[in-house]
Amino acid sequence: MPASDAADLIACPDCGALYRRAAVAPGEKARCRRCGRMLYRGARLNAERLPALVCAALIVLLIANSAPIVDLRVQGISNSATLAGSIRALWADGRPLVAALVAATTLAFPLLDLCALGAAVLLLRRDPACNAAARLLRVLQAVRPWGMVEVFMLGVLVALVKLSHMAEIRPGVALWAFAALTVLLAAILSYDLRGLWESRPVAPHPPPPEAAPLVPCHVCGLVGAPAPHCPRCGAPVHARKPASLARTWAFLLAGAILYIPANVLPIMRTSSLGGVESDTIMSGIVYFWTSGSPDLAALIFFVSIFIPLAKIGSLTMLLFTVGRGSPRGKRRRTALYRILAFVGRWSMLDVFVVALMVGLVRFGALAAIDAGPGAAAFGAVVVLTMIAAHDFDPRLLWDSEAPHD
Ligand SMILES: [Zn+2]
Ligand SMILES: [Zn+2]
């Protein structure tokens, strides 16, 4: 097959069905007929505008991290917290895992994502064959799922409601900066990176034998004959994610085991003149319920208790049904997988709330909040189940069926 023909093929990442790409209007979506997954959508955002948006987002990210998020006053003493200050406080309190998790997801990965995207767009504009740009795009695609600014923003709002019960609060500059960053990142992330990959020329490679199966590259989406490395992005090419079932089982079991200490151990300890009080995830939910915020109690119950449990249960069911080769309900099971992969990150909410409370409530003997051992365990559950969902290959659900054209 000539390279130009292969370049218009597109493989559904969820079921492996192959399609020939058709033109779509801006905002219009092309969906897989077999599993319902959105394959691509007409771009509203032009790649030309990306560098300006990236620049704006970098400036806002800088403000969001250097200015105070909120100013807290208790009995005439005031304390303001920045994100970096909260991370330092967690580290100093002997919670390096939670500190590293918060720093990576709210600061390091979004920063890396923006810098890599800006640099890749500029490099590709000068030379579409530039290999450094391809490496940057691959790094960007690897870190993108781990940037969680929008979840952090929701965490800030929850922490503010919680603190408003105990002290006078004044929103800081960084609060507005985080809100602006969430909007800017949503616009930047809506840009389909395939547009950048497609601007790269495909290195010449020998035509595949007539009957060779076509394999999509999981990084740039190029469909071609099986080869050790993708001729467009250089990533290793596999027909299916390697050792998908074994890796998913391993991360899922580790996550399920840690789910117990995450719920039994305290995630937060509040010391005040009245003594020390420990909070588990569940007692935090009860607190919101009884203090007149049942909507927040429901939200935290949903993201901290329901989502991790649903994720562990559903992934176990998917692993068992793939193992048995069950032919029924493939479309439903694939849709369930897509929902799991989408909602998993929101479970980080409680970890962010704890981080902010630790950074904010530091009034010496009057009141202080420390993170408990449950916070690290809970953060690990979220990370492990996210890796498990990432390593599961939903195409295994469809492998008993031949791909259609
Ligand atoms: Zn599909
Ligand atoms: Zn590729």
Side-chain angles (χ1 to χ4, degrees):
M1 177 180 294
S4 60
D5 277 4
D8 305 330
L9 284 177
I10 182 160
C12 171
D14 284 358
C15 73
L18 284 178
Y19 296 94
R20 202 163 283 290
R21 187 183 271 273
V24 286
E28 226 177 15
K29 293 171 183 168
R31 285 189 185 280
C32 173
R33 259 181 304 185
R34 196 157 70 150
C35 74
R37 152 112 187 198
M38 189 189 74
L39 297 173
Y40 53 93
R41 114 179 100 195
R44 285 183 202 274
L45 182 64
N46 193 321
E48 297 289 311
R49 295 204 190 127
L50 274 176
L53 273 177
V54 166
C55 255
L58 281 172
I59 294 168
V60 176
L61 183 67
L62 189 77
I63 299 170
N65 278 285
S66 46
I69 299 175
V70 61
D71 191 51
L72 194 65
R73 261 165 209 281
V74 178
Q75 299 184 2
I77 313 169
S78 91
N79 187 24
S80 58
T82 58
L83 175 57
S86 296
I87 293 166
R88 267 201 305 276
L90 282 169
W91 189 277
D93 286 348
R95 302 282 165 219
L97 266 178
V98 186
L101 192 58
V102 174
T105 51
T106 57
L107 182 59
F109 290 151
L111 185 66
L112 186 58
D113 187 326
L114 289 171
C115 293
L117 180 61
V121 171
L122 295 177
L123 285 170
L124 284 173
R125 207 179 272 178
R126 280 218 328 247
D127 172 19
C130 172
N131 282 329
R135 274 195 293 273
L136 284 172
L137 281 177
R138 282 171 56 191
V139 169
L140 155 66
Q141 275 176 279
V143 300
R144 186 158 274 186
W146 299 98
M148 301 187 187
V149 169
E150 75 286 20
V151 185
F152 180 73
M153 182 67 217
L154 188 61
V156 172
L157 299 180
V158 173
L160 288 188
V161 173
K162 206 163 181 166
L163 289 167
S164 68
H165 293 303
M166 51 174 98
E168 189 191 327
I169 48 170
R170 242 182 257 156
V173 174
L175 183 69
W176 309 114
F178 268 111
L181 186 62
T182 308
V183 175
L184 279 170
L185 282 177
I188 293 171
L189 265 49
S190 75
Y191 179 78
D192 188 349
L193 293 173
R194 236 175 323 210
L196 291 180
W197 283 121
E198 279 163 8
S199 66
R200 274 176 70 73
V202 178
H205 55 294
E210 271 307 303
L214 292 170
V215 177
C217 165
H218 69 283
V219 175
C220 73
L222 180 72
V223 178
H229 289 95
C230 170
R232 185 161 69 184
C233 72
V237 176
H238 306 284
R240 294 290 175 264
K241 291 179 186 169
S244 168
L245 294 185
R247 290 175 60 95
T248 310
W249 269 123
F251 286 111
L252 185 63
L253 284 177
I257 291 167
L258 281 173
Y259 187 74
I260 300 164
N263 279 282
V264 174
L265 296 176
I267 56 163
M268 205 164 76
R269 263 196 291 256
T270 313
S271 26
S272 62
L273 296 175
V276 179
E277 212 176 288
S278 290
D279 264 317
T280 58
I281 294 177
M282 205 56 197
S283 69
I285 296 170
V286 171
Y287 170 79
F288 274 124
W289 189 264
T290 51
S291 64
S293 311
D295 36 0
L296 277 185
L299 171 74
I300 296 183
F301 178 82
F302 182 71
V303 297
S304 304
I305 306 266
F306 178 77
I307 290 181
L309 268 184
K311 212 167 165 181
I312 292 169
S314 313
L315 269 175
T316 309
M317 181 274 283
L318 289 175
L319 284 165
F320 271 119
T321 54
V322 166
R324 280 210 316 266
S326 169
R328 280 192 317 206
K330 289 177 197 162
R331 198 178 160 108
R332 262 206 317 276
R333 281 183 287 150
T334 311
L336 174 67
Y337 168 75
R338 273 201 292 275
I339 296 170
L340 292 181
F342 175 76
V343 297
R345 56 202 282 105
W346 290 93
S347 298
M348 279 292 280
L349 184 71
D350 237 8
V351 176
F352 292 145
V353 173
V354 170
L356 282 162
M357 302 287 280
V358 169
L360 268 170
V361 184
R362 306 188 79 74
F363 296 100
L366 204 58
I369 289 184
D370 296 314
F378 187 72
V381 171
V382 180
V383 171
L384 288 166
T385 50
M386 275 181 74
I387 300 177
H390 174 268
D391 281 354
F392 180 75
D393 194 331
R395 290 171 296 182
L396 297 173
L397 296 166
W398 297 85
D399 274 350
S400 53
E401 237 173 82
H404 68 169
D405 197 359

